[in-house]
Amino acid sequence: MSANPYDPVTTTDSTQLADDDWGLNLPNIRYGSFGSSRCKNFCNFLRERSRLLIIISCILVLGIVLICIIAVATHSSSGRKPTDKDKEKRWENPKLGLVFYPKPEDGSTVISFSAEDSTADNPIIKSLNNATDAYQLQLQFKRPYIDCTAVNNPPDKVCRLGNTHFGDVCTKHTGWGYHHATPCIFLQLNLPEGVTIRPIDKDSFLWPLSDEIMVHHNDSNYVPVLCEGQNTQDRMILSLHGFDNEESNPIQYFPPDGLPAYFYRKRDMNLPFLKPAMMIHLSSLKDNTLVHVKCILWGQLFDNDGKMIDHKLLKTTFAVYLKE
């Protein structure tokens, strides 16, 4: 009687069965690593071109870093608002030094304005009107006003300085540019009695500090003015939002040569004196962004004895905030 095929296996025989015992003809098994030759070729390729891969990786990393820096700078600059004006400098006494107008209402150095609100009744516009009244050309046709030069500036005359020197944009009729969000800032130099000013020459110890400005300054009768962002972030804001035209500049000067040095000469103190002044025009402001600007008059001051004195009177700083 044959065995039941469903009975459980109860044998304890551990004899190993060969394939032939089962009647199976299996192929021989080959042991090997799949794709080993491909991996080896790929590794050799990487090894031979390791320098190229390093260069490409560095370029990619630098690109990502630059993108992050620009994104952070743009984000931070767009949020710069004068939220705490107590931390801003106060508007200084206009009797001495390089002074700017308009004078902010709150007495700080932040010129805050909106293009839509820049009407004739705006305090900013009124401040500029008052500061420039004495420079109306129609008031200077009578004696003792004359057109002075570096060789003709008699002490018993008043050197004429009309508002036509302040450019076509920086006028009372154009609202000093504020209505178009391109404001004009009035700079006026007030020096103590007896103090004179001259442009920096090559014999001055100040020349190494000013060579980039003075090398391109050809008129020794005028003292050039340079205004720029007060720090790296301010300069970046001005440069990022400036004109694309290479001939244009986010900060323009009227007159372009600076302030006439020959106005400060020995003169009759009983006569009126038109203090040398000029306009700077800002054409690259961004809405809701606070920008700090510093202006330096690149000259050298001398007292009555011809001794050079402190130059802190030739600097001023202010901030501009264009409200949306």
Side-chain angles (χ1 to χ4, degrees):
M1 182 177 180
S2 61
N4 187 348
Y6 297 101
D7 285 343
V9 177
T10 57
T11 182
T12 58
D13 187 2
S14 59
T15 304
Q16 300 296 322
L17 299 177
D19 293 339
D20 294 339
D21 296 332
W22 293 94
L24 300 176
N25 295 320
L26 299 178
N28 295 330
I29 299 176
R30 295 181 179 180
Y31 297 93
S33 56
F34 179 74
S36 59
S37 59
R38 294 184 180 179
C39 292
K40 185 181 296 184
N41 293 337
F42 183 69
C43 292
N44 291 334
F45 174 82
L46 293 179
R47 190 179 299 110
E48 293 173 357
R49 291 162 177 79
S50 59
R51 182 176 299 178
L52 177 61
L53 289 174
I54 292 174
I55 294 175
I56 295 176
S57 301
C58 291
I59 293 175
L60 290 175
V61 171
L62 288 176
I64 294 173
V65 171
L66 287 175
I67 292 174
C68 293
I69 291 175
I70 294 174
V72 171
T74 303
H75 175 74
S76 60
S77 65
S78 62
R80 302 181 71 202
K81 299 182 180 181
T83 54
D84 190 358
K85 290 188 177 182
D86 292 336
K87 295 182 180 179
E88 299 288 343
K89 291 178 58 178
R90 308 308 295 172
W91 194 76
E92 299 179 358
N93 191 330
K95 292 182 180 180
L96 288 178
L98 188 63
V99 184
F100 75 88
Y101 294 90
K103 178 182 178 180
E105 275 189 287
D106 59 3
S108 72
T109 55
V110 180
I111 304 172
S112 180
F113 74 99
S114 171
E116 289 74 14
D117 297 334
S118 300
T119 61
D121 296 330
N122 188 291
I124 293 287
I125 304 300
K126 286 184 176 180
S127 177
L128 277 171
N129 291 341
N130 294 334
T132 57
D133 273 347
Y135 297 88
Q136 297 181 55
L137 193 59
Q138 59 267 30
L139 302 178
Q140 303 176 31
F141 289 136
K142 56 185 179 180
R143 294 181 180 181
Y145 291 90
I146 65 168
D147 290 324
C148 293
T149 64
V151 296
N152 181 29
N153 46 61
D156 59 342
K157 302 295 181 182
V158 180
C159 290
R160 185 180 290 130
L161 182 62
N163 49 18
T164 55
H165 289 83
F166 303 149
D168 296 333
V169 177
C170 298
T171 67
K172 186 175 182 179
H173 299 293
T174 61
W176 309 107
Y178 284 79
H179 185 66
H180 299 287
T182 57
C184 297
I185 312 296
F186 186 62
L187 298 181
Q188 187 182 67
L189 180 60
N190 308 314
L191 294 182
E193 182 180 347
V195 173
T196 57
I197 185 172
R198 294 201 300 267
I200 299 174
D201 54 42
K202 293 183 178 180
D203 297 329
S204 172
F205 71 93
L206 296 172
W207 181 264
L209 302 176
S210 64
D211 56 353
E212 293 185 6
I213 294 93
M214 299 305 299
V215 162
H216 302 287
H217 181 71
N218 300 319
D219 197 334
S220 61
N221 301 315
Y222 286 80
V223 181
V225 176
L226 177 65
C227 298
E228 61 181 356
Q230 193 168 354
N231 55 43
T232 303
Q233 190 173 10
D234 295 315
R235 290 190 288 271
M236 181 180 295
I237 293 172
L238 291 175
S239 62
L240 284 177
H241 302 287
F243 286 117
D244 294 331
N245 188 347
E246 294 182 356
E247 296 181 357
S248 299
N249 194 305
I251 302 180
Q252 296 174 306
Y253 306 88
F254 303 99
D257 292 328
L259 301 181
Y262 53 83
F263 271 51
Y264 297 98
R265 82 279 187 205
K266 292 182 179 180
R267 56 186 177 82
D268 188 346
M269 301 303 296
N270 296 318
L271 294 175
F273 177 61
L274 285 176
K275 301 170 185 177
M278 65 181 300
M279 287 282 183
I280 65 170
H281 181 223
L282 305 179
S283 57
S284 61
L285 299 182
K286 184 182 178 183
D287 291 345
N288 299 324
T289 302
L290 182 69
V291 181
H292 291 85
V293 181
K294 65 178 179 181
C295 294
I296 299 177
L297 189 61
W298 290 94
Q300 44 196 2
L301 300 177
F302 299 90
D303 61 14
N304 287 325
D305 298 327
K307 182 181 178 181
M308 190 179 297
I309 61 176
D310 194 352
H311 291 73
K312 65 181 180 180
L313 298 177
L314 304 182
K315 301 178 182 179
T316 190
T317 59
F318 57 88
V320 182
Y321 180 67
L322 172 60
K323 295 182 289 186
E324 189 174 5

